[in-house]
Amino acid sequence: MNVNYMLSFIIVLALCLLSYLGGEAPGLRYLFGIAIPYLAIVIFIFGFISRVMGWARSAVPFRIPTTCGQQKSLPWIKPNRIDNPFSKSAVILRMILEIVCFRSLFRNTRMAFKNTKTGMRIAYDWEIFLWVAALAFHYTFLVVLLRHLRFFFDPVPFCIQILEFFDGFLKIEFLSNVIQVGLPGIYISGVILLAAVTFLFLRRIFSPKVRYISLPADFFPLFLIMGIAITGIMMRYFTKVDIVGIKEFTMGLVSFSPALPEGVGGLFYVHIFLVSVLLAYFPSSKLMHLGGIFLSPTRNMTADTRATRHVNPWNHPVKVHTYEQYEDEFREKMIEAGLPVEKKE
Amino acid sequence: MADDLPKADDLLNKIDHNNSPPTSWMDTPVNIRKGMYCYASSPKSVKYLGLPNARPWNPLDDDWKLPDNWKEIVFEGLKERLDKFRSFKVFMDICVRCGACADKCHFFIGTGDPKNMPVLRAELLRSVYRNDFTKAGNLLGKIAGARPMTLDVLKEWWYYFFQCTECRRCSVFCPYGIDTAEITIMAREILNLLGLNIDWIATPVANCYRTGNHLGIQPHAFKDMLDFFVEDIEEITGVNCEPQYNKKGADILFITPSGDVFADPGTYTAMGYLLLFQYLKEKYGFDVTWSTYGSEGGNFGFFTSHETMKRLNSKMYAEAKRLGVKWILGGECGHMWRVINQYMDTMNGPADFLEEPVSPITGTRFENAKSTKMVHIAEFTADLIKHNKLELDPVRNDNVIATFHDSCNPARGMGMLDEPRFVLQNVCNNFHEMPPGTIREQTFCCGSGSGLNAGENMELRMAGGLPRANAVKYVHEKYGVNMLTCVCAIDRAVFPPLMEYWVPEVDVSGLHELVGNALIMQGEKKRTTDLRFEPLPGMEDEIDE
C-alpha cells in the first residue's frame, strides 16, 4: 500500500462523488455546470500566463546548451547540426524535434548488471516503452481535445470532421443485448489514451525506482485524466448521453449565455468537473512542463558561445587578484629564476 | 589507496538498485558515511578568498557552526538565484519525475543509493523550494512534495550535492533538458554562503587565486618543473626544448591545467606539449609562451560559485592582454573547457584586444572561436595533422592499444568528440571504441570530477567510476586495450587508481603524450623509449645496452 497514490486516488474519487451529487442535486447544477468551469478556465489562462511570465522574468546569464553531438569546429569535421546547434534555425529544429517527437526521451536506455564469464558487465539497452507510452498519451490527449472542439463550433470545422473520421476509422461493430459497442464507431484515441495513462500509472507502481521518486502530485493528474477518460467513454458508449443537449450547453458557455442542459445526468457533471479541476490545477503543477519545455536553456540556446558572445544582464564585477599583486608577492623569486618581470626593484 | 576501502567484488556485490529504504526519502535521514564525503574546507582558504563563515568544522559533528540566521541566508540565496538564473527556476518547476534520468547517473549505478538518482538529488532542493516559494507547497506541505528547511535537510544537501560531479549525463536524457549540474551548482553556491565547502575545492581555489594555479606552485617552481621535463625530453629524444615564460609579444599564450606539470601521467602530456611546440618553433617559427600567473586551465571556482569561477577565470584574459598575444591556446582539460566554451567570454569578455584565432602554420581560421579567441589544442593539432604539417611515426605507439574516454565537459558542454579521435588515430595504430551508450555524449564520468578527486572519499570515487571502468574492462577483455586515453587533467589524476581498482591492466594517458611519442623531431637521436622511459616496440634489448 502506497500512501502517495492512495491519497491521490481517494481525492479524485471524492471529487467524482461530489460532482455526481452536484449534478443530481438541482440546486447545485449551476455551480458545477457553469460557475466552476468558467472559474477553472480563468485560473488556467491567468495561471499559465503568469507562470510563463515568471520564468521569462528570470535572467539567462549564460549560454548553457547540453551538447549532444559533435560541435562545429574544423570545416572537414561533420558537425551534428541538431544536437549541437550552431544557428538559431538549428535550435528551432532541435526544439521542434524535442517538443513534437520527445527526442531526448527517445534516447532512453535501461541499465542492467549482467553476469558474464568474465564477471559483472553493466549493459545499457535501448528502452523505448516510456517514449512510446508518453508519445501515445500526449498525442491521443491532443486528438481527444481537438475532437471536443466539435462542441464549441457550429458548424463543426471540416478539419475536426476529418480528424473524427480517421479517429473513428476503426469501426469494430458488434452488438449484444446489453451493450452496443461500435455504434457509434469507437474512437481509437480514447482507448489508447486510457491504456497509456494506465501504463504510466502501473509503471509508477511497479518500477521500484519510479515508485520511490513518485509524489502524490504524480498520481493525482493520472487519476484525474483516467476519470475524465472513463466518464467520457461511459457517456459515449454506454449511457448514450444526449449529445444535442450537451452541444447546446457548450455553445451557451462559449457564447457567454450559459444555460444548463436538460437530462444529461450526473456522469456529465463528473466529467466537466474533473476537466475543470485539471484546468485549475494545471498552472500550479508539474503539468506546466507544457510551457517550461520552451524555456529550457539547455535545449533552446545555440551552442556557439565561442563564436558569438552571449551577454549576461547582471554581469557583476568581482574581486580579482591582479598580475601586479602577484608579481609584488613573488618578484624576487621570479627574478632569481630568470622569469621576466614588470618592475625590477 | 585508503586502507578501509572495500574490495572491488564486495563493493560490486552490495549494489542494489531496487532496494529503496522502507521509509519515504523525506523520512530517511542522511547518514554521512566515511569514504563517501570530503573533508570540510580549511578556514584559512575560505578566509583568503573572503568567502563567508570561515571556521574549522567537521561534517561528522552535530554542530556545523552555522551563523544564527542561516535559514534566512538560504532563503535569500534561493530567492536571488531564482531571479538570476532562468535555468534554475524552470528546473525547479517542470520536472514530472518520469524517472528517465534515474539510471543514467554514475553515482546511482555505482552506489544504488536512491538519493543519487538525479531526480531525487534535485528533489532534495525542490522540496524546500516548494515550501518557501510556491503556494501549494506552503499550504499542503508534504502532500505537495514540500518540506521546511532544517539542519538535517541542510546536511543532506551537503552530502548529496558533493556526490554529484556536474557531468550533465542526466540532462542528455531528460525530456525537458533539466540539468542536474545546474541544480548542484546553485546548491553549492548556497552551501558556500554558509561556509560549507569541501577542502579539496576551497584550498585549490585559494591557491589558484594567489599563485595562479590550483596546486599552489610558485612561479620559480613552475619553471623548475618544466625544466625538469626539458631534461627528460633531452635524454629521451636528444632534442632541447626551450619553453618561453611570461613572454611579452609572443603570438600565442598557452594555458593548461597545472595538474599536468605536477603528477604522472599528466606530466607526460605536458612533455608532449613541449615537444609539439618545439617542433613547430623549429619548423615554422611558432611563437608560444607559457604563463606563471595564468598557470591554471582548470577552474575549481566553477565548483564553488559563479562569482568565484569568474574571479579565477579573469586571469586568462588579463594575462593575454598584458602579454599582448594574438590569441590563447588551451590544453587538455575537462571542466576548463566547459568554462571557456560556455562562460568565459560572457563573464570576462569581450576579448577585443585579441585577434580572431588563425593557425600561423596552416592558415586555418578557427571561426568557432572567433569571439572567445581561445582554441583547444586538440582542434589545433587535428588541423595540423590534416594539413600534413607534422611528421609522425605512429609505430612508436604500437605497444599501446588505446580506447578514448570522452570527458564529460568537452562532450556535453562543448561537443568536441571527433577532433581528439582524429588525432589519436593518426598517432596510434591500435584504437578501439568502448560500447555505444558509454562514449561521446553518453560518456560516463570518471566519478571524481567537480572537485571530488580527494583521497578521503575513495569509496565514493570507486563507486562513481564503476560504469566507466566497466566499459574499459569490456574493451580490455575483447580487444586487449591497455591504454585509456583522455583529454582531461582530472581524468589523468583519478583514472590510475580507478583502473587499479577495477581493471588493473589498463594504464592512462593524455592525448598529447601519444602525439609526443609519435612526433619525429628535427635532429632527434634514435629513440629507444617513450616519454615514460619505457622501451619502444622492438627496442627492448637496446635499452639494456
Side-chain angles (χ1 to χ4, degrees):
Chain A
M1 186 66 78
N2 183 313
V3 64
N4 288 341
Y5 73 75
M6 280 315 290
L7 190 68
S8 297
F9 183 68
I10 289 166
I11 292 172
V12 173
L13 210 58
L15 293 174
C16 291
L17 277 173
L18 184 72
S19 50
Y20 188 81
L21 294 175
E24 296 290 310
L28 292 172
R29 278 185 196 159
Y30 187 83
L31 179 70
F32 283 90
I34 295 168
I36 289 176
Y38 271 134
L39 186 66
I41 285 282
V42 170
I43 294 175
F44 174 76
I45 292 172
F46 284 96
F48 195 103
I49 292 172
S50 91
R51 211 65 195 280
V52 173
M53 295 292 280
W55 293 326
R57 259 200 306 278
S58 292
V60 184
F62 301 108
R63 207 181 280 155
I64 52 161
T66 308
T67 59
C68 301
Q70 171 61 38
Q71 66 170 351
K72 181 177 184 297
S73 63
L74 298 163
W76 46 272
I77 292 177
K78 192 172 169 279
N80 184 328
R81 289 180 201 283
I82 298 169
D83 293 316
N84 199 330
F86 200 75
S87 63
K88 288 218 167 59
S89 56
V91 168
I92 291 168
L93 188 59
R94 187 186 201 190
M95 289 301 288
I96 289 174
L97 288 170
E98 197 64 81
I99 290 161
V100 175
C101 306
F102 307 175
R103 185 179 171 84
S104 292
L105 197 57
F106 186 65
R107 292 191 186 102
N108 196 22
T109 56
R110 185 204 304 273
M111 176 270 309
F113 280 28
K114 291 181 179 169
N115 270 312
T116 65
K117 273 178 291 181
T118 52
M120 194 80 83
R121 180 167 173 235
I122 313 179
Y124 311 91
D125 296 319
W126 195 31
E127 205 282 327
I128 199 168
F129 295 110
L130 181 57
W131 178 79
V132 169
L135 213 59
F137 168 71
H138 284 84
Y139 275 97
T140 51
F141 200 109
L142 181 68
V143 169
V144 170
L145 209 65
L146 291 174
R147 263 204 290 110
H148 278 70
L149 289 179
R150 77 149 32 249
F151 293 107
F152 299 94
F153 286 99
D154 198 24
V156 177
F158 185 64
C159 52
I160 303 295
Q161 294 184 32
I162 294 280
L163 185 73
E164 283 178 345
F165 173 76
F166 283 105
D167 196 10
F169 193 67
L170 199 70
K171 285 200 169 78
I172 323 162
E173 295 187 23
F174 61 90
L175 301 164
S176 83
N177 293 333
V178 190
I179 50 166
Q180 298 180 316
V181 181
L183 282 181
I186 287 181
Y187 283 136
I188 195 79
S189 57
V191 178
I192 297 177
L193 175 63
L194 197 56
V197 174
T198 307
F199 173 85
L200 294 174
F201 168 69
L202 293 177
R203 185 174 165 274
R204 285 206 183 272
I205 299 292
F206 289 111
S207 161
K209 289 192 276 287
V210 188
R211 185 172 60 224
Y212 199 67
I213 62 175
S214 293
L215 297 173
D218 298 314
F219 292 106
F220 181 65
L222 286 177
F223 286 128
L224 264 185
I225 292 164
M226 267 186 216
I228 292 165
I230 290 169
T231 49
I233 287 170
M234 294 274 287
M235 281 189 290
R236 180 173 167 82
Y237 304 107
F238 300 98
T239 69
K240 303 287 171 66
V241 77
D242 172 19
I243 298 277
V244 179
I246 285 176
K247 176 129 188 186
E248 277 168 17
F249 164 69
T250 51
M251 290 310 293
L253 281 180
V254 288
S255 60
F256 296 105
S257 48
L260 286 170
E262 290 300 320
V264 291
L267 212 50
F268 174 74
Y269 284 91
V270 176
H271 191 68
I272 59 161
F273 183 66
L274 293 185
V275 171
S276 302
V277 171
L278 186 67
L279 283 172
Y281 175 72
F282 200 105
S284 56
S285 73
K286 68 169 194 174
L287 303 177
M288 276 306 290
H289 65 269
L290 168 64
I293 172 88
F294 290 90
L295 292 172
S296 178
T298 61
R299 291 291 185 274
N300 73 2
M301 303 190 85
T302 49
D304 64 341
T305 323
R306 261 196 298 161
T308 319
R309 183 162 185 258
H310 177 81
V311 177
N312 174 358
W314 51 261
N315 194 12
H316 306 317
V318 295
K319 204 169 161 242
V320 297
H321 192 70
T322 63
Y323 177 80
E324 287 70 31
Q325 291 168 311
Y326 168 85
E327 193 184 293
D328 284 348
E329 183 175 355
F330 298 114
R331 184 170 295 112
E332 263 177 51
K333 289 171 176 169
M334 291 174 80
I335 293 172
E336 205 173 311
L339 291 166
V341 288
E342 296 273 344
K343 271 196 277 183
K344 296 198 173 78
E345 275 165 293
Chain B
M1 229 176 272
D3 299 333
D4 41 11
L5 182 67
K7 287 204 164 53
D9 281 343
D10 295 341
L11 194 133
L12 196 61
N13 289 329
K14 74 176 184 185
I15 304 170
D16 184 351
H17 299 100
N18 290 324
N19 186 22
S20 304
T23 47
S24 85
W25 61 266
M26 275 197 210
D27 300 321
T28 310
V30 62
N31 170 24
I32 297 179
R33 195 159 67 75
K34 204 163 170 283
M36 303 295 279
Y37 75 93
C38 298
Y39 297 148
S41 44
S42 121
K44 215 176 116 200
S45 300
V46 177
K47 202 170 173 188
Y48 187 81
L49 291 159
L51 297 176
N53 203 18
R55 82 282 176 222
W57 65 287
N58 183 344
L60 297 181
D61 288 349
D62 288 337
D63 181 9
W64 279 14
K65 301 180 193 169
L66 301 170
D68 292 337
N69 64 337
W70 71 266
K71 282 187 188 173
E72 189 190 329
I73 295 174
V74 170
F75 176 82
E76 292 298 329
L78 277 169
K79 189 162 175 259
E80 185 190 342
R81 279 154 191 83
L82 289 166
D83 287 338
K84 280 164 82 173
F85 297 91
R86 186 181 298 165
S87 53
F88 187 39
K89 195 166 186 182
V90 171
F91 296 164
M92 284 296 101
D93 284 331
I94 63 170
C95 176
V96 300
R97 290 165 293 278
C98 72
C101 59
D103 59 359
K104 308 304 181 284
C105 174
H106 51 285
F107 283 120
F108 178 65
I109 296 172
T111 64
D113 183 342
K115 285 179 187 166
N116 273 325
M117 288 188 250
V119 44
L120 220 46
R121 196 187 311 282
E123 288 290 317
L124 300 179
L125 206 155
R126 266 190 209 116
S127 51
V128 174
Y129 161 78
R130 288 191 200 104
N131 187 73
D132 292 356
F133 295 92
T134 69
K135 281 191 198 75
N138 194 288
L139 287 173
L140 299 172
K142 221 165 153 181
I143 296 172
R147 60 175 177 172
M149 192 70 203
T150 64
L151 189 59
D152 282 340
V153 171
L154 186 72
K155 291 186 175 184
E156 196 178 38
W157 282 12
W158 184 82
Y159 190 62
Y160 287 104
F161 288 115
F162 286 103
Q163 284 191 24
C164 165
T165 46
E166 304 179 2
C167 82
R168 309 185 102 195
R169 190 170 191 268
C170 48
S171 137
V172 169
F173 295 90
C174 175
Y176 318 120
I178 296 173
D179 181 8
T180 306
E182 203 64 7
I183 294 165
T184 296
I185 288 168
M186 299 307 158
R188 288 190 183 183
E189 283 204 17
I190 290 163
L191 289 166
N192 266 282
L193 297 177
L194 304 175
L196 298 177
N197 206 344
I198 60 171
D199 199 48
W200 201 258
I201 295 174
T203 294
V205 169
N207 283 339
C208 193
Y209 194 62
R210 175 171 171 241
T211 66
N213 58 70
H214 289 150
L215 297 158
I217 309 167
Q218 299 188 7
H220 57 294
F222 188 83
K223 181 171 179 290
D224 278 353
M225 287 167 140
L226 286 193
D227 284 347
F228 183 69
F229 301 154
V230 169
E231 281 170 30
D232 278 359
I233 290 171
E234 188 162 15
E235 196 179 333
I236 295 162
T237 69
V239 173
N240 180 29
C241 298
E242 295 158 329
Q244 312 184 104
Y245 304 94
N246 304 353
K247 186 195 168 195
K248 284 198 170 178
D251 284 345
I252 289 159
L253 168 63
F254 177 66
I255 301 176
T256 198
S258 63
D260 284 350
V261 300
F262 184 72
D264 299 344
T267 49
Y268 309 121
T269 303
M271 288 161 78
Y273 299 146
L274 288 170
L275 277 165
L276 177 68
F277 295 157
Q278 186 64 25
Y279 178 95
L280 297 175
K281 183 180 172 185
E282 283 174 8
K283 205 155 178 196
Y284 307 105
F286 188 64
D287 185 13
V288 64
T289 182
W290 299 66
S291 162
T292 58
Y293 170 65
S295 48
E296 181 59 66
N299 191 329
F300 274 32
F302 186 42
F303 311 138
T304 305
S305 67
H306 286 88
E307 185 185 329
T308 317
M309 160 169 66
K310 187 178 171 184
R311 290 170 73 184
L312 298 188
N313 176 263
S314 67
K315 294 187 186 194
M316 289 193 184
Y317 279 154
E319 185 67 341
K321 195 172 185 178
R322 185 182 75 88
L323 297 177
V325 298
K326 291 179 179 154
W327 50 275
I328 313 173
L329 183 64
E332 300 175 11
C333 178
H335 72 275
M336 158 184 175
W337 273 95
R338 171 104 197 269
V339 173
I340 290 164
N341 192 53
Q342 299 197 326
Y343 294 91
M344 177 157 86
D345 199 359
T346 301
M347 289 187 298
N348 289 313
D352 43 16
F353 47 88
L354 297 175
E355 294 175 13
E356 275 186 42
V358 175
S359 169
I361 296 137
T362 63
T364 299
R365 302 185 80 82
F366 294 98
E367 288 188 7
N368 62 322
K370 69 181 178 205
S371 178
T372 298
K373 283 135 179 155
M374 188 150 175
V375 176
H376 194 291
I377 193 156
E379 297 168 341
F380 179 73
T381 305
D383 175 63
L384 290 173
I385 294 174
K386 184 74 180 177
H387 287 87
N388 288 318
K389 297 294 180 188
L390 301 182
E391 282 174 274
L392 297 165
D393 180 9
V395 174
R396 287 186 196 160
N397 282 320
D398 270 359
N399 284 339
V400 171
I401 305 170
T403 191
F404 183 71
H405 162 71
D406 290 281
S407 306
C408 313
N409 287 291
R412 291 183 282 260
M414 186 177 182
M416 193 185 71
L417 308 172
D418 287 329
E419 297 89 340
R421 282 178 171 76
F422 176 80
V423 173
L424 181 56
Q425 284 171 284
N426 273 281
V427 298
C428 180
N429 289 322
N430 312 306
F431 168 69
H432 300 277
E433 289 278 15
M434 284 179 273
T438 70
I439 51 168
R440 299 178 75 89
E441 73 276 5
Q442 297 193 11
T443 188
F444 275 108
C445 181
C446 61
S448 309
S450 83
L452 304 186
N453 50 327
E456 61 271 17
N457 61 336
M458 205 43 101
E459 184 180 338
L460 175 73
R461 289 175 50 188
M462 296 302 111
L466 170 63
R468 171 39 76 224
N470 197 262
V472 175
K473 185 162 175 266
Y474 176 77
V475 283
H476 168 67
E477 281 160 6
K478 192 163 180 187
Y479 306 109
V481 162
N482 60 13
M483 188 64 84
L484 179 58
T485 306
C486 56
V487 284
C488 172
I490 289 182
D491 284 339
R492 287 190 283 275
V494 305
F495 274 148
L498 186 77
M499 290 298 115
E500 193 193 320
Y501 189 75
W502 293 113
V503 207
E505 304 82 4
V506 177
D507 218 330
V508 180
S509 84
L511 185 63
H512 278 76
E513 175 187 347
L514 302 183
V515 172
N517 282 334
L519 196 60
I520 303 170
M521 304 293 290
Q522 283 188 324
E524 69 176 20
K525 68 174 192 185
K526 184 181 175 193
R527 288 204 216 177
T528 53
T529 73
D530 61 17
L531 295 176
R532 303 182 178 200
F533 288 100
E534 281 164 18
L536 290 175
M539 299 284 180
E540 290 78 5
D541 300 334
E542 305 209 13
I543 291 181
D544 302 332
E545 288 166 17

